C-alpha cells in the first residue's frame, strides 16, 4: 500500500522547496517513492503555438500587500486543522463516503463549483486578487460553509489565486489583474463535515494566443484523465493519458499529485498526474472520491519560491495553467462532483 511510503507528507507545506517533484497543493520529495518498470521515451512534440518571453505582455509577478486574515462567524463549523499552524499530514484513510456522506459530499462540491463560477465573473483588469478573496470568503460563509484553505498550515487567505507564472498557492494580495493575465482560482469549502475542491484557469482580457492554447490543453488533460477513471481501472492510466495529450503540444506536466478528499481535505490515494508506473495501490474502487488537478507549463519545470513559503513560480517566468475537479468513482466511470 502507498501508506508504506515513509516520508512526511503535507499538501500545504511551509518548508523550503528543494526537489523538483511535489504534491499537488504542496511540495514534497518523491525520492523514496517506489517506481518500477523501464523508463519510457517521449513522443515528438507537435502543434504547439510558440511562446517566448518576448511574448509576455505584463511584468513578472511581484508580491503585493497582503491584507489581514478574514474572520469566520463562530457558528460555522470549522475543520480540525484551523487551530494549528502546522500542516496536517495526508490521511491514510481512503475517502469512500456512505450514502449519507455522498449526499453531503455532493453538496460541498456543488457549493465549491458555484463559488468558483462566481469568482470567475470577477476576473477582469484592475480587480485585485484580494478583492476576489474577499468575495469568495463572503459567499462561502453566507452559505454556512468554511473556506478550507483559510488557516490550513497557516495559509492566510480563503482561496488560492495563481497568476501567470505562478504554478500554485498564490496568496491573494493588492496586485491588480492586468489585461493579458491568466489566473487559476482554487476553491475548497468545508460544508457539513465534507470538503469540496475545484479550480479553473481564467483569461483576463486579451490573452496571447499561445497562452490561450496552454489553458485549453490543460483543461483537455483534466477531461482525458477523468475519462479513464472507473471501478477497477489502474491509477497509472491517468498520468499516461494526461502526459500523452500534453506532449502533443510540447507542454510539460508538472509532477503534482491529486488526492483523496472527503471528510478530510487531503488523503490517500495519491493521484499521479504525470507518466508513471503502477504503485502498490493499483486500482480504483467504486465509491472513492478524489481530485485530479493537472498543471501544465510552456517552459521548464524548475521553480522558485517566494519568501512567504507558499507562492511557487516557474523559474523561467513562463506561464502555467491548472484545472481541478473532485470526482466519484462508479462502476461505469467517474461522476464529476464539482459542477454547478
Amino acid at each position: 500500500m502507498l501508506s508504506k511510503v515513509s516520508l512526511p507528507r503535507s499538501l500545504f507545506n511551509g518548508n523550503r522547496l528543494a526537489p523538483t517533484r511535489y504534491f499537488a497543493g504542496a511540495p514534497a520529495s518523491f525520492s523514496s517513492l517506489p517506481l518500477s518498470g523501464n523508463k519510457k521515451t517521449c513522443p515528438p512534440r507537435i502543434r504547439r503555438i510558440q511562446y517566448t518571453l518576448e511574448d509576455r505582455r505584463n511584468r513578472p509577478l511581484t508580491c503585493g500587500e497582503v491584507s489581514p486574515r478574514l474572520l469566520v462567524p463562530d457558528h460555522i463549523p470549522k475543520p480540525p486543522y484551523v487551530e494549528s499552524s502546522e500542516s496536517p499530514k495526508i490521511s491514510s484513510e481512503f475517502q469512500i463516503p456512505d450514502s449519507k456522506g455522498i449526499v453531503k459530499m455532493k453538496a460541498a462540491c456543488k457549493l465549491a463549483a458555484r463559488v468558483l463560477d462566481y469568482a470567475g465573473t470577477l476576473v477582469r483588469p484592475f480587480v485585485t486578487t484580494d478583492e476576489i478573496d474577499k468575495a469568495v470568503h463572503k459567499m462561502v460563509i453566507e452559505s454556512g460553509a468554511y473556506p478550507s484553505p483559510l488557516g490550513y498550515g497557516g495559509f492566510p487567505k480563503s482561496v488560492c489565486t495563481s497568476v501567470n507564472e505562478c504554478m500554485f498557492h498564490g496568496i491573494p494580495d493588492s496586485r491588480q489583474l492586468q489585461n493579458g493575465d491568466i489566473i487559476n482560482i482554487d476553491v475548497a469549502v468545508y460544508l457539513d463535515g465534507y470538503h469540496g475542491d475545484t479550480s479553473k484557469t481564467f483569461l483576463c482580457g486579451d490573452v496571447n494566443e499561445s497562452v490561450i492554447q496552454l489553458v485549453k490543453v490543460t483543461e483537455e488533460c483534466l477531461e482525458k484523465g477523468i475519462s479513464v477513471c472507473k471501478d477497477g481501472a489502474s491509477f497509472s492510466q491517468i498520468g499516461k493519458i494526461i502526459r500523452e495529450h500534453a506532449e502533443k503540444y510540447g507542454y510539460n506536466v508538472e509532477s503534482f499529485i491529486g488526492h483523496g478528499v472527503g471528510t478530510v481535505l487531503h488523503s490517500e490515494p495519491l493521484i499521479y498526474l504525470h507518466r508513471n508506473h503502477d504503485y502498490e495501490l493499483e486500482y480504483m474502487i467504486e465509491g472513492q472520491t478524489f481530485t485530479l488537478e493537472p498543471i501544465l507549463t510552456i517552459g521548464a519545470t524548475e521553480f522558485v519560491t517566494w519568501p512567504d513559503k507558499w507562492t511557487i513560480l516557474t523559474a523561467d517566468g513562463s506561464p502555467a495553467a491548472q484545472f481541478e475537479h473532485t470526482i466519484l468513482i462508479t462502476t461505469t466511470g467517474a461522476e464529476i462532483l464539482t459542477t454547478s
Side-chain angles (χ1 to χ4, degrees), residues 274-339:
H274 55 287
R275 180 180 285 117
N276 60 85
H277 307 279
D278 280 343
Y279 294 88
E280 293 182 60
L281 175 66
E282 295 184 351
Y283 302 105
M284 302 172 205
I285 302 170
E286 181 183 2
Q288 279 183 320
T289 51
F290 54 80
T291 71
L292 273 66
E293 42 192 304
I295 300 177
L296 271 59
T297 64
I298 287 180
T301 58
E302 288 76 17
F303 58 85
V304 294
T305 178
W306 278 358
D308 62 29
K309 299 181 180 179
W310 288 100
T311 309
I312 311 300
L313 292 81
T314 57
D316 62 2
S318 61
Q322 179 184 27
F323 284 81
E324 175 185 15
H325 273 310
T326 297
I327 65 173
L328 166 68
I329 297 301
T330 69
T331 55
T332 57
E335 180 181 353
I336 300 173
L337 302 183
T338 41
T339 56

Side-chain angles (χ1 to χ4, degrees), residues 16 41 57 62 71 105 150 205 223 225 241 244 247 309:
R16 179 178 175 81
T41 58
R57 297 182 178 179
T62 56
L71 300 178
M105 183 76 179
L150 186 64
E223 293 168 351
I241 196 169
E244 287 175 350
E247 286 176 344
K309 299 181 180 179

Side-chain angles (χ1 to χ4, degrees), residues 232-248:
S234 168
F235 280 99
S236 68
Q237 294 181 42
I238 297 173
K240 180 177 183 295
I241 196 169
I242 287 175
R243 187 63 182 238
E244 287 175 350
H245 189 64
E247 286 176 344
K248 290 179 183 178

Side-chain angles (χ1 to χ4, degrees), residues 106-116 139-140 143-145 187 189 191:
K106 287 183 176 182
C109 287
K110 285 191 176 297
L111 174 59
R114 290 198 303 272
V115 173
L116 180 62
M139 183 174 179
V140 172
S143 300
V187 171
V189 303
L191 177 66

Side-chain angles (χ1 to χ4, degrees), residues 35-112:
L35 292 170
S36 61
N38 297 321
K39 184 177 180 181
K40 299 178 182 178
T41 58
C42 298
R45 297 177 172 183
I46 58 174
R47 295 188 295 171
R48 169 176 161 183
I49 299 175
Q50 293 298 320
Y51 174 92
T52 67
L53 291 183
E54 286 71 27
D55 295 321
R56 178 196 288 274
R57 297 182 178 179
N58 300 321
R59 293 182 178 181
L61 288 178
T62 56
C63 184
E65 180 180 349
V66 178
S67 61
R69 176 172 167 169
L70 298 173
L71 300 178
V72 177
D74 291 338
H75 71 272
I76 293 180
K78 302 171 180 60
Y81 55 74
V82 171
E83 302 305 324
S84 173
S85 61
E86 295 185 3
S87 299
K89 297 294 187 294
I90 296 177
S91 172
S92 62
E93 297 181 5
F94 302 152
Q95 303 300 292
I96 306 178
D98 59 19
S99 57
K100 292 182 179 179
I102 286 293
V103 172
K104 294 180 179 181
M105 183 76 179
K106 287 183 176 182
C109 287
K110 285 191 176 297
L111 174 59

